Amino acid sequence: MTPAELHAQTDVARPPAAAVARAVAFFIDVVGTTLLTGIVFFTCFMVGFNLDTVGNVTVANAVLKLGVGSLFLVPIGVLLLNLRLSRTRRASVGQLAAHNRLVDERTGGPVSYGGFFARTLVLAVPVVATASSAWTLFGIVANGGVGNSERGTSLLSVLPILLVVWLVFAFPMLRGDRRGWQDKAGKTRVVTAA
């Protein structure tokens, strides 16, 4: 048996990561990506508007377009970084910080590409629900309050839906083997690293 196979068998035998450690890793991954995207986006817009005011319209337009592109390019870059880390270090950035390890459920080795993307698609569901709810809440506040907006959407109609999405998402990770929907879709396990 090679050292890599022995190491992989050891990873399969490790206990599942605690729900709190998994939540911390998820928070670091999602909030970190969001903050990085926001920083790049707003920096491009500030530089673009400043260049526009001094008359350099061509460069200003390019920087503004880069800012809009950063809304897609930064998350894709983070996704590719996490893909690379999942193959080499068996963890995302957040999982490294939380001392978790992502392994294939059968072999204990690195997660396959298909498994990684299946996990990512399932993890995107609560993130997209939260982002769309935040956008709705922003619209409510911008339209004059948290009661009723001109579109008939209220704060009370957004929060219960968001709560249900997160409860459905988190519930499997609180029981038994702590494998969430993303783990089942990607045929993975999240275990403690040490």
Side-chain angles (χ1 to χ4, degrees):
M1 184 174 286
T2 67
E5 291 172 334
L6 183 60
H7 188 65
Q9 283 185 342
T10 305
D11 284 344
V12 169
R14 291 182 189 272
V20 171
R22 293 189 70 171
V24 166
F26 182 77
F27 184 79
I28 290 170
D29 285 336
V30 171
V31 172
T33 301
T34 304
L35 286 175
L36 183 60
T37 303
I39 289 168
V40 172
F41 177 79
F42 287 114
T43 301
C44 286
F45 268 80
M46 295 304 293
V47 169
F49 285 130
N50 285 334
L51 287 171
D52 192 36
T53 58
V54 296
N56 199 343
V57 177
T58 306
V59 176
N61 285 338
V63 172
L64 291 172
K65 288 177 184 176
L66 179 63
V68 171
S70 72
L71 295 175
F72 302 99
L73 295 175
V74 172
I76 289 171
V78 171
L79 177 74
L80 293 174
L81 171 66
N82 282 335
L83 173 62
R84 176 73 175 149
L85 287 173
S86 75
R87 301 289 296 163
T88 58
R89 304 280 306 269
R90 297 186 191 159
S92 67
V93 173
Q95 289 168 339
L96 285 172
H99 302 290
N100 293 340
R101 183 169 282 165
L102 178 66
V103 298
D104 184 279
E105 72 177 356
R106 294 173 308 275
T107 65
V111 177
S112 68
Y113 292 111
F116 177 83
F117 286 111
R119 277 181 61 83
T120 301
L121 286 175
V122 172
L123 286 169
V125 171
V127 172
V128 169
T130 302
S132 63
S133 297
W135 189 256
T136 301
L137 291 175
F138 176 75
I140 291 169
V141 172
N143 285 326
V146 293
N148 290 320
S149 70
E150 294 173 6
R151 296 181 182 168
T153 306
S154 71
L155 180 65
L156 295 177
S157 69
V158 175
L159 291 181
I161 295 168
L162 192 57
L163 182 63
V164 167
V165 167
W166 279 100
L167 286 175
V168 167
F169 177 73
F171 183 73
M173 290 182 281
L174 301 174
R175 304 174 2 144
D177 64 355
R178 297 190 193 121
R179 291 183 66 230
W181 300 112
Q182 70 278 14
D183 296 316
K184 292 172 183 171
K187 295 181 176 35
T188 61
R189 290 183 64 227
V190 178
V191 296
T192 57

